[in-house]
Amino acid sequence: RKGGFDHYMQKEIYEEPDVFYRTFNSEIDPDFISELKSAEEICVIACGTSYNAGLLFRYLMEMHCDTPVRVEVASECRFFRPRRGSVVIAVTQSGETADTIAALNMAKAFGCTTAAVTNVVGSSVTRVVDYSLCTRAGPEISVAATKSYTAQVAVFMSVLRELCNGSIKEDLDEIHKVIEDALLVDVSEGAEMCAGASDIFYVGRGLYYPVSLEGALKIKEITYIHAEGYAAGELKHGPISLLCEETPIVAVCTMDVSYPVMLSNIKEMKARGAPVIAVGTEGDEDLDDVADVCIYVKKSTPLGEMLAVIVVLQMLAYQSAVILGRDIDKPRNLAKSVTVI
Ligand code: F6R
């Protein structure tokens, strides 16, 4: 059933070009889009990887739309009151996460319109919400979420496409190719460096902040190495004291608006002795000069490159776990769906 792959996680990462294509191509209920257009606020609630997808949605919305977006960890929602006039969107691969469903029920009690972005048609969450938005990832067997995350990002990109006309002008065939090419990127040198570490920082700016959080979550859950995602600018406000020769940094530094400041951040990290694995855009020779290991994605649109980086970070986590001989599809202490609070 693994179709020639060593692990389900690897197989599921390889499905991502098609998963993105299918999901981005599917229709979004026009009534849901009308609800969003009249919403005073959008509140996204989720856990884990799904939370990281929600955070990415917030950045995308800030770039293209005026409606404010809040993103809350579902288990903390009981400490916040949803605003009247909010549309509350739960993001949950399994559709069974207890904290997410509890937060949704609270939002309903406050009279909010509710929606779920889920991978499982007919799951508990779909019975609670007003609107269901399906990720078309197919069953995800590996405990670590990979293709379902990319599918959640695809749903959010298609919501944006419908909500803010003209905000997303991606050529789907081109994106399919960009994600496919990302599967072929050699991450072995970076994986060797990560596998030998006890602590790793993942840093990025803008869209690459939530992407870094997800990269760190992925590697920690399957390798058991302590990893933290940070907004690159936050490193100076505390964690920089931890940097030394033993703490590799995975720095996402594609040629987007944050490029110059990311490049100078990398130099600061190097000055503290930290080895840097930079993930950048092909053809960037300046990055070669400052980082210890460079992993390049193909040049594309900003969102195309972001999707490629997501895949590369998943592969980096996967290959590090292979080197360490971990039980990749079933990491210790973790369950695929968390149905208790
Ligand atoms: C990480 C992972 C978990 C889930 C989280 C939420 O790879 O799988 O962090 O993302 O437990 O699960 P769902 O999306 O099913 O609500």
Side-chain angles (χ1 to χ4, degrees):
R1 285 174 64 211
K2 287 185 213 150
F5 291 94
D6 294 331
H7 301 95
Y8 281 109
M9 181 178 178
Q10 186 190 27
K11 174 176 182 279
E12 288 162 0
I13 294 172
Y14 271 75
E15 289 171 26
E16 288 182 47
D18 290 345
V19 164
F20 183 87
Y21 195 99
R22 264 202 306 275
T23 307
F24 188 69
N25 230 356
S26 21
E27 264 186 36
I28 304 279
D29 185 339
D31 291 342
F32 176 60
I33 298 299
S34 306
E35 296 266 14
L36 288 183
K37 281 186 175 153
S38 57
E40 281 165 34
E41 181 189 74
I42 298 171
C43 177
V44 180
I45 52 175
C47 306
T49 289
S50 298
Y51 172 84
N52 292 338
L55 207 52
L56 193 50
F57 175 57
R58 178 176 170 205
Y59 276 80
L60 288 170
M61 284 288 288
E62 277 295 326
M63 287 157 71
H64 299 285
C65 292
D66 287 337
T67 317
V69 179
R70 258 168 81 188
V71 190
E72 305 291 352
V73 169
S75 56
E76 290 295 306
C77 277
R78 75 194 66 172
F79 304 107
F80 299 100
R81 222 168 337 114
R83 306 276 174 280
R84 236 162 251 294
S86 296
V87 172
V88 175
I89 306 177
V91 190
T92 167
Q93 185 284 132
S94 60
E96 303 296 343
T97 301
D99 281 318
T100 306
I101 293 173
L104 259 183
N105 280 324
M106 189 179 87
K108 266 176 86 104
F110 275 95
C112 300
T113 300
T114 55
V117 176
T118 184
N119 199 36
V120 184
V121 178
S123 56
S124 302
V125 80
T126 59
R127 294 193 289 274
V128 174
V129 291
D130 302 307
Y131 299 95
S132 290
L133 288 80
C134 288
T135 48
R136 297 182 194 274
E140 193 172 59
I141 311 290
S142 180
V143 164
T146 53
K147 62 176 180 171
S148 63
Y149 172 72
T150 292
Q152 289 164 350
V153 176
V155 165
F156 284 132
M157 281 173 62
S158 50
V159 164
L160 214 69
R161 178 190 64 207
E162 303 303 318
L163 195 58
C164 325
N165 229 343
S167 60
I168 303 266
K169 296 190 205 80
E170 302 296 325
D171 174 342
L172 248 188
D173 291 318
E174 155 80 13
I175 296 244
H176 188 272
K177 176 88 180 56
V178 165
I179 304 177
E180 238 175 22
D181 288 342
L183 294 170
L184 305 175
V185 170
D186 182 6
V187 298
S188 54
E189 215 184 328
E192 287 289 346
M193 198 180 262
C194 289
S198 310
D199 305 279
I200 309 171
F201 286 98
Y202 279 64
V203 296
R205 285 173 183 264
L207 291 171
Y208 289 115
Y209 165 50
V211 167
S212 296
L213 291 181
E214 177 55 15
L217 176 60
K218 212 81 313 174
I219 204 162
K220 89 176 97 180
E221 67 177 321
I222 61 168
T223 63
Y224 318 146
I225 297 168
H226 168 235
E228 283 190 62
Y230 260 93
E234 271 294 290
L235 220 55
K236 285 195 197 67
H237 300 281
I240 201 162
S241 67
L242 296 170
L243 298 194
C244 63
E245 289 77 14
E246 279 80 46
T247 50
I249 313 258
V250 178
V252 185
C253 185
T254 60
M255 287 171 123
D256 68 0
V257 285
S258 303
Y259 179 78
V261 65
M262 271 307 296
L263 208 57
S264 78
N265 288 155
I266 291 177
K267 288 178 188 158
E268 287 158 10
M269 297 163 200
K270 286 293 310 162
R272 271 76 184 178
V276 174
I277 302 164
V279 182
T281 313
E282 199 174 63
D284 177 4
E285 281 161 19
D286 292 342
L287 207 53
D288 265 331
D289 293 340
V290 295
D292 299 271
V293 175
C294 289
I295 302 175
Y296 291 115
V297 298
K298 286 262 159 68
K299 197 163 180 42
S300 177
T301 58
L303 292 182
E305 286 185 14
M306 180 197 75
L307 290 160
V309 170
I310 287 171
V311 169
V312 160
L313 295 186
Q314 291 172 347
M315 292 296 286
L316 185 65
Y318 172 74
Q319 290 206 10
S320 305
V322 169
I323 293 168
L324 292 167
R326 301 298 191 222
D327 188 358
I328 294 180
D329 288 330
K330 287 196 179 73
R332 70 183 179 206
N333 306 340
L334 288 173
K336 185 67 184 160
S337 59
V338 181
T339 53
V340 287
I341 287 182

